[in-house]
Amino acid sequence: MGKIGLLLMIFGLLLGMIVGAQTVDKVVIGLSAPPRTMDPHGSDADSNLSIMSNIFEGLARRDVNGNLLPGLAVSWERVDPYTWRFYLRKGVKFHNGNDFTWEDVAFTFQRLKDPGVSEFLATGNLVKSVKPVDGNPWIIDIVTTRPVAWFVQNMHQIFIMDKESTEVRSQGEVASHPIGTGPYKFVEWIRGDHLTLVANEDYWGGPPPVKKVIFKEIVDSFTRLAAIETGTVDIIQDIPLELFDRAKANPNLLIVTRPARRGMFLGMKQTSDYPMHDVRVRKAIYMAINVQELIDKVMFGHASPAAQIADPPTVGYNPEIKRLPYDPEEAKRLLAEAGYPDGFSVTLKAPTDRYPRDEETAEAIAKQLAKVGIKVTVDAKPKAIYFPEVTHHDVELYYLGWFDGAYSAMRTFTKLVHSYDEEAGFGLFNAGDISDKLLDYLIEQSDTIVDPELYVEWSQMTNRIAFEWKVVYIPLFYLEDSYAVYKPSGIKFTPRPDTWMTIVDVIQP
């Protein structure tokens, strides 16, 4: 063999090694919350959306930093307050070989309206029509029933389904054998045990480097940690706070954390027959709570102070909003000024099994409020009982967490802050019965703003008025997302802000 031939052979071997190093045969992930269904519209829980994001795609997608990027649409624009125009991606195929067309988009939004299969009724009912523009099947207008400025921000979690195959299959088949356009194809789902996906080698975005993914259901915290300690799984979500030091001390584990998108806060009944109707009382409660003490002693340092509900990736997050200072003496003065020099009695409701150390946090808040004369009875109960009470507004003080799946502060405000109006879809989670004409006006007007920069400024202004002037809620802290990676696997892992395990984003070979 000549020198040139020998060099070519060596080059080929090296190239093969490099290419081989860029792929991973299999990754096993331990999930704390398993998927409920394989129907992308059947559950709006993040545990479900996380899995669906590997199999299905929306018109848009989010990257590992939460930025909105093109998905099944290559671009979009807002034509008028009611109309969003999308330019669809050509050459995309579903896993069964069917071509992706505008009719799949129209079918998807119509399906969202069906309460028998969809938990995205609110989004579905916002859509009036989906039609091609001037007969061009690759340019469509989605017309909404009312102006919705954040509509496109939600498109990463509205997954497009194949019209042809979905219409001819039973709902049971659709909910157990998904067919999408995403980077991974469905193999099998054994409820209570595992879900297996394989790489879609014909994916329009290129073959995924991780060739097989197994999601194992490991709900118990101790079992989940034991699984990664032994290398049974490569990655786990949600290291329990009580076991964090043990995980961190393990030399085979890489601990990855980031501030969670979920902001924890106190809601307050604000009708005229409750003390919290007075903004001075709301400020007093705010200033009587030592958030840093809650973070240090209750959350073991695994949280960060919040001055608003929106988190930094959310459109409308305002870095200029500052927390009111911890000042018990000022809190007492405000209470006296409001007519409650001896404080008052109130019940604080909280779940026992929804958030990390939720009941313990409620108990600690009660003790802090007692120091300024507010006598708190903690009523903690399982989430199956607690959340119906919240949605029925059967609360005085209540402990809740929130992040907006559409990354929009104004979308959050339509749910949490706007006066309750079931028919219009406003205030559906406004358990404290907030009713403020200025905030209602600002929220409603935000949807009519077409200019993106003005929309951001308007959202930030509204956010600041709500939390600094009106004190509609008492922000506490952002939780912390935590993961453990088994070091011998050699996997490089970067978490998304929404906690989704979208493999092409979070795992780098």
Side-chain angles (χ1 to χ4, degrees):
M1 181 183 294
K3 290 184 177 179
I4 294 178
L6 180 61
L7 288 172
L8 287 173
M9 184 180 73
I10 294 172
F11 176 76
L13 289 172
L14 289 172
L15 182 62
M17 292 172 63
I18 292 171
V19 172
Q22 292 177 335
T23 63
V24 175
D25 290 337
K26 182 177 72 172
V27 171
V28 182
I29 299 173
L31 298 177
S32 59
R36 290 164 43 192
T37 176
M38 292 294 108
D39 184 333
H41 305 152
S43 172
D44 62 0
D46 278 292
S47 56
N48 222 81
L49 296 173
S50 172
I51 301 299
M52 294 299 101
S53 69
N54 294 286
I55 304 170
F56 294 90
E57 296 175 291
L59 294 176
R61 62 179 299 270
R62 299 272 177 186
D63 67 11
V64 75
N65 296 311
N67 299 311
L68 193 69
L69 301 176
L72 292 178
V74 296
S75 62
W76 50 80
E77 59 183 320
R78 196 178 186 192
V79 178
D80 60 51
Y82 291 86
T83 307
W84 287 88
R85 181 164 293 170
F86 291 88
Y87 299 81
L88 302 182
R89 189 179 297 278
K90 299 178 181 179
V92 177
K93 289 186 178 293
F94 286 93
H95 298 157
N96 60 2
N98 287 350
D99 292 326
F100 161 68
T101 71
W102 79 270
E103 292 180 323
D104 300 310
V105 181
F107 169 78
T108 292
F109 281 99
Q110 186 61 37
R111 190 174 189 267
L112 295 182
K113 302 174 188 287
D114 183 354
V117 298
S118 172
E119 287 195 357
F120 293 85
L121 298 176
T123 299
N125 291 331
L126 283 174
V127 176
K128 181 179 180 181
S129 65
V130 180
K131 295 180 180 179
V133 176
D134 297 328
N136 187 335
W138 299 107
I139 305 176
I140 61 171
D141 278 352
I142 299 180
V143 179
T144 56
T145 56
R146 64 174 178 84
V148 186
W150 45 263
F151 185 80
V152 73
Q153 296 290 331
N154 201 33
M155 288 302 97
H156 67 289
Q157 58 184 359
I158 302 301
F159 295 119
I160 305 302
M161 298 187 71
D162 175 33
K163 178 179 185 292
E164 180 181 325
S165 65
T166 305
E167 286 184 328
V168 299
R169 296 196 296 160
S170 69
Q171 179 52 29
E173 175 74 8
V174 170
S176 58
H177 291 78
I179 299 173
T181 61
Y184 286 90
K185 294 182 177 182
F186 173 82
V187 176
E188 68 172 357
W189 181 32
I190 307 300
R191 285 178 179 270
D193 190 76
H194 72 277
L195 166 70
T196 303
L197 307 178
V198 294
N200 176 10
E201 299 296 340
D202 299 318
Y203 180 54
W204 63 263
V210 178
K211 299 306 175 184
K212 185 176 183 179
V213 185
I214 299 175
F215 294 98
K216 288 192 68 66
E217 178 180 333
I218 314 176
V219 177
D220 181 74
S221 300
F222 288 90
T223 305
R224 193 165 62 254
L225 182 57
I228 198 164
E229 287 175 330
T230 59
T232 305
V233 299
D234 301 305
I235 303 169
I236 63 169
Q237 280 183 305
D238 299 330
I239 304 169
L241 297 184
E242 296 83 354
L243 301 175
F244 201 91
D245 289 342
R246 167 179 151 182
K248 194 172 182 179
N250 190 320
N252 285 325
L253 301 184
L254 173 67
I255 307 303
V256 181
T257 62
R258 61 159 295 141
R261 294 200 62 217
R262 192 179 306 280
M264 305 305 301
F265 61 92
L266 281 188
M268 301 161 282
K269 183 67 76 173
Q270 295 177 39
T271 52
S272 59
D273 51 337
Y274 283 87
M276 289 80 74
H277 177 72
D278 191 318
V279 68
R280 293 170 294 185
V281 174
R282 300 199 295 273
K283 287 182 177 180
I285 295 172
Y286 195 145
M287 300 178 79
I289 297 175
N290 186 340
V291 164
Q292 194 58 52
E293 182 177 78
L294 296 178
I295 292 172
D296 293 340
K297 295 185 178 180
V298 181
M299 302 302 294
F300 306 127
H302 296 287
S304 53
Q308 56 199 293
I309 294 175
D311 64 316
T314 294
V315 176
Y317 171 83
N318 191 336
E320 295 183 2
I321 299 175
K322 306 300 180 187
R323 284 192 58 82
L324 291 180
Y326 170 58
D327 190 339
E329 293 306 314
E330 177 63 11
K332 291 178 183 178
R333 190 193 69 77
L334 286 169
L335 286 172
E337 185 180 291
Y340 300 97
D342 300 319
F344 56 90
S345 297
V346 67
T347 297
L348 168 57
K349 292 189 176 182
T352 59
D353 55 355
R354 175 60 185 90
Y355 311 112
R357 298 183 64 77
D358 38 19
E359 183 175 5
E360 292 86 349
T361 301
E363 294 285 359
I365 290 172
K367 291 178 181 178
Q368 292 181 350
L369 293 181
K371 295 178 181 178
V372 298
I374 300 175
K375 295 167 279 296
V376 178
T377 300
V378 174
D379 180 12
K381 58 193 66 176
K383 60 186 178 184
I385 301 174
Y386 169 75
F387 282 106
E389 292 182 347
V390 172
T391 56
H392 287 91
H393 301 199
D394 181 18
V395 291
E396 296 178 356
L397 279 181
Y398 58 102
Y399 179 65
L400 195 65
W402 188 275
F403 75 87
D404 196 284
Y407 292 71
S408 168
M410 289 301 94
R411 179 174 178 264
T412 290
F413 276 33
T414 64
K415 296 172 181 287
L416 290 180
V417 178
H418 194 287
S419 299
Y420 181 69
D421 184 338
E422 183 177 7
E423 184 176 344
F426 288 127
L428 299 183
F429 291 92
N430 178 2
D433 295 312
I434 301 163
S435 184
D436 187 284
K437 290 182 179 179
L438 173 61
L439 290 174
D440 287 352
Y441 171 80
L442 293 172
I443 293 165
E444 291 172 22
Q445 287 299 115
S446 72
D447 274 332
T448 68
I449 299 172
V450 176
D451 181 272
E453 292 185 4
L454 178 58
Y455 177 70
V456 171
E457 292 175 2
W458 189 279
S459 300
Q460 291 180 328
M461 174 190 69
T462 306
N463 195 9
R464 190 168 188 176
I465 290 171
F467 281 93
E468 287 193 349
W469 179 13
K470 304 288 188 176
V471 192
V472 291
Y473 290 101
I474 298 173
L476 298 171
F477 46 75
Y478 300 110
L479 297 176
E480 181 182 78
D481 294 331
S482 60
Y483 308 82
V485 181
Y486 190 61
K487 286 182 181 179
S489 70
I491 291 171
K492 296 178 182 177
F493 175 76
T494 304
R496 288 169 54 113
D498 54 17
T499 74
W500 289 10
M501 281 290 187
T502 309
I503 302 303
V504 294
D505 292 337
V506 301
I507 295 180
Q508 301 80 41

